Amino acid sequence: MWDPFALLFALLFGFLILMCKVFGMWIFKEKPKSGLPDGSMWHFPLIGETLGFLKSHKSNSLGFFLQDHCSSYGNVFRSHLFGSPTVVSCDLELYAFILQNEETLFGSSYPKPVHDILGKLSMMLVSGSLHKKLRNVSLSFINASKSSPEFLSYVDSFSLSLIHSWTSLSTPLHFFKEAKKLTFYLMLKNLLSIEPDDPIAENILEEFLTFMKGFVSLPVYFPGTAYSKALKARRRITSILKDATKKREKMMKNARGDFLDEVVQRDNLNDEETVSVLMDLLFAGYETTSGLMALVVYFLAKAPSALQKLREEHQSLRKDGESLNWEDYKKMEFTSHVINEALRCGNLVKFVHRKALKDVKFKEYTIPAGWQVLPIMLATHLDPKLHQSPLEFNPWRWTDPTTNRKVTPFGGGVRICPGAELGKLETAFFLHHFILNFRWKINEEDAPMSCPYLDFKGGLLLELEQIK
Ligand code: HEM
């Protein structure tokens, strides 16, 4: 007699195999090679375990996929993600090893849909001398911005005017959206001298929001999908930036002292490269800094003693009628602990994409040439072996200088984020005015999510109360 459960199981298994064949998918077992990290053996071709890996979770937690795989296989495991065999690293030592050996053992390697969206000349995608050239141009712009009293004064006054516009609100403030507006207009002004009230500013912002939605969506190129809308938005932004570059080349007599002037005068980038650097800086500069502002506001709402200490620091820096400057920023010691801790807990960037350029040996592991490698910063930031009570938002842990070496929100090696200090400075100036003008409450449910890019499902609605 057949056991009915065995029969049911056999039927189900047969049905599954049939469906896989019918839909052109096949589950297969990967032959383990020697030295490969342990990992799941079964996967679907092409998608592999990608959907599980990308499933959204609170950004101050590991999420089910990493939790499950790390406990089954250890902190370094193999998988099949974004169409490639992959080594996933949640290990700080391997993370440092990968980023310190950029361009010799490992190289940047983002999936094809990211190339289409960012453009083939994006700094995140190119390597070698072209990467160096584009990066140097960006670095000199970012360094000049940090030390420009005019730009710092603009950051200060624009933050203050936006904050003042919130005083008469009768409904909760959509904070994440407002923060994006703030950081986007700061970048537009700094790069292209476009003022926030210029109609083209809102137009470019709308295009960027469409672009961003597609960047974080499934890459399905079909009319009407977020991804195809994003590709179109990218083309329109590129054309606006190309026009602006052409106009500026003709009008060099009326120099405005912004980034575009700088690039046009240097004359070492062609038009396509100039537009690509502008895109990179606009995109990387506003999306990340607004995320950082939102994380700080989120965590502070739940940490009254840190907020109290922060207010004391900013009370002592209060300047009636005068703008904040670089010296003031350097005095914001506790502010920098708060910002660093928000980056550690909130994980603005969860991981970066790399691939092994040759067979690489690291400790007992061998990573075969051509394999994708994903160092997961989020996992090292929340590792209880590295941080005491890692889920707790505790800015005071940054008084210990060793914390700095264990937290890497800006990446590392030759691709370390060139905008780190600028993003922190804009956040610190904004915070100065925000915490001195408002108390706020947030909806408990609206936690920062890793999707894998940072998002707040409810947009981070704040109930504001003005401090008289
Ligand atoms: C404030 C929070 C920010 C965070 C957490 C952040 C994070 C990162 C990370 C992790 C990378 C490395 C990517 C990789 O290795 O593949 C990166 C690269 C980059 N970031 Fe940022 N970033 C921030 C702000 C900014 C700002 C304000 C700017 C520009 C003004 C900027 C411009 C860039 C650029 C151009 C790159 C590419 C660098 C290269 O490939 O050489 N970032 N960022």
Side-chain angles (χ1 to χ4, degrees):
M1 275 291 283
W2 275 88
D3 176 342
F5 284 108
L7 186 62
L8 187 65
F9 180 77
L11 280 173
L12 273 175
F13 190 70
F15 180 69
L16 186 66
I17 299 284
L18 185 70
M19 293 313 282
C20 287
K21 284 203 157 210
V22 168
F23 290 108
M25 297 192 301
W26 187 246
I27 309 172
F28 66 86
K29 195 175 173 181
E30 193 178 86
K31 255 203 188 132
K33 298 182 187 105
S34 78
L36 269 181
D38 206 358
S40 112
M41 306 280 277
W42 298 92
H43 60 76
F44 289 94
L46 287 179
I47 57 165
E49 299 188 293
T50 313
L51 296 182
F53 178 77
L54 289 180
K55 193 166 183 329
S56 65
H57 59 90
K58 286 189 179 161
S59 74
N60 52 343
S61 74
L62 276 188
F64 177 76
F65 181 89
L66 289 177
Q67 185 87 58
D68 174 66
H69 281 60
C70 288
S71 58
S72 304
Y73 311 117
N75 272 3
V76 178
F77 59 89
R78 74 171 187 278
S79 179
H80 198 279
L81 300 169
F82 307 107
S84 302
T86 304
V87 169
V88 177
S89 162
C90 297
D91 176 88
L92 185 63
E93 267 184 75
L94 180 53
Y95 172 84
F97 179 75
I98 294 165
L99 296 184
Q100 295 311 326
N101 287 291
E102 180 87 32
E103 303 214 343
T104 49
L105 302 180
F106 299 94
S108 164
S109 170
Y110 284 78
K112 162 95 171 63
V114 175
H115 284 238
D116 294 341
I117 268 239
L118 291 180
K120 63 179 190 309
L121 292 180
S122 170
M123 220 180 302
M124 309 240 294
L125 309 177
V126 296
S127 54
S129 58
L130 180 56
H131 174 253
K132 214 177 206 168
K133 181 169 82 164
L134 301 180
R135 188 177 163 89
N136 282 343
V137 172
S138 309
L139 268 175
S140 76
F141 154 72
I142 291 168
N143 289 337
S145 308
K146 281 187 320 204
S147 54
S148 152
E150 292 78 32
F151 178 65
L152 299 194
S153 157
Y154 188 78
V155 175
D156 183 71
S157 61
F158 187 57
S159 305
L160 188 58
S161 71
L162 187 70
I163 284 168
H164 277 160
S165 75
W166 300 339
T167 50
S168 53
L169 278 182
S170 53
T171 50
L173 177 78
H174 214 297
F175 184 80
F176 202 24
K177 198 166 157 202
E178 288 289 299
K180 284 184 189 192
K181 222 158 63 176
L182 168 61
T183 55
F184 190 74
Y185 289 154
L186 289 178
M187 288 309 287
L188 264 191
K189 168 76 179 171
N190 201 14
L191 291 167
L192 299 160
S193 298
I194 295 177
E195 297 290 341
D197 53 4
D198 186 329
I200 200 170
E202 202 179 330
N203 183 243
I204 307 180
L205 176 58
E206 284 304 317
E207 298 288 10
F208 255 98
L209 293 174
T210 312
F211 173 77
M212 194 56 209
K213 269 193 206 142
F215 187 68
V216 300
S217 70
L218 275 182
V220 183
Y221 191 74
F222 198 69
T225 59
Y227 183 71
S228 73
K229 282 187 193 159
L231 290 180
K232 283 193 191 133
R234 182 181 190 282
R235 279 198 288 275
R236 287 191 293 269
I237 302 169
T238 307
S239 138
I240 297 172
L241 297 177
K242 218 176 250 169
D243 284 352
T245 310
K246 288 260 173 263
K247 262 191 212 144
R248 198 63 71 84
E249 280 164 354
K250 287 192 195 131
M251 295 171 44
M252 270 324 290
K253 286 192 288 316
N254 306 331
R256 296 160 192 216
D258 58 16
F259 173 71
L260 193 51
D261 272 351
E262 193 44 51
V263 178
V264 170
Q265 271 160 9
R266 275 179 173 219
D267 203 23
N268 67 337
L269 301 188
N270 63 34
D271 284 358
E272 214 188 336
E273 289 165 350
T274 304
V275 168
S276 182
V277 173
L278 282 169
M279 266 305 269
D280 276 347
L281 291 173
L282 269 174
F283 172 57
Y286 98 96
E287 189 62 32
T288 48
T289 310
S290 52
L292 175 55
M293 289 176 182
L295 286 174
V296 173
V297 164
Y298 172 83
F299 286 115
L300 280 177
K302 292 158 180 284
S305 47
L307 180 56
Q308 173 61 28
K309 172 100 178 112
L310 193 68
R311 279 213 173 95
E312 283 162 19
E313 180 165 279
H314 285 271
Q315 288 285 7
S316 73
L317 293 166
R318 199 189 263 276
K319 303 166 101 181
D320 288 324
E322 240 185 279
S323 290
L324 292 170
N325 56 35
W326 181 254
E327 281 66 44
D328 297 321
Y329 173 64
K330 286 282 127 199
K331 287 183 203 147
M332 297 180 187
E333 197 184 350
F334 191 69
T335 311
S336 90
H337 295 340
V338 166
I339 289 176
N340 289 336
E341 183 65 351
L343 284 165
R344 185 192 69 80
C345 289
N347 293 296
L348 205 43
V349 181
K350 178 173 171 176
F351 64 99
V352 292
H353 287 266
R354 294 293 186 269
K355 78 167 176 218
L357 300 175
K358 44 179 95 154
D359 282 354
V360 180
K361 277 203 86 64
F362 177 79
K363 294 190 177 166
E364 71 268 33
Y365 305 120
T366 303
I367 306 174
W371 273 47
Q372 176 170 237
V373 184
L374 301 181
I376 316 276
M377 290 101 103
L378 174 141
T380 52
H381 291 171
L382 302 178
D383 187 342
K385 286 191 231 89
L386 298 172
H387 311 282
Q388 210 178 19
S389 312
L391 303 186
E392 190 188 314
F393 177 79
N394 173 11
W396 285 273
R397 75 173 82 235
W398 288 84
T399 51
D400 172 356
T402 63
T403 308
N404 211 9
R405 280 182 244 137
K406 299 181 281 188
V407 182
T408 54
F410 298 104
V414 297
R415 287 183 188 271
I416 193 166
C417 174
E421 202 63 45
L422 185 62
K424 287 184 184 183
L425 180 142
E426 290 180 5
T427 306
F429 280 20
F430 161 77
L431 268 182
H432 176 78
H433 296 299
F434 186 64
I435 61 170
L436 293 181
N437 279 284
F438 289 110
R439 279 185 273 274
W440 68 98
K441 275 198 212 133
I442 53 168
N443 181 346
E444 279 292 317
E445 303 300 313
D446 202 6
M449 300 296 291
S450 171
C451 302
Y453 300 93
L454 181 80
D455 202 7
F456 289 84
K457 288 277 180 270
L460 193 58
L461 289 183
L462 301 188
E463 277 177 40
L464 297 178
E465 184 198 338
Q466 200 178 351
I467 300 175
K468 303 278 178 209

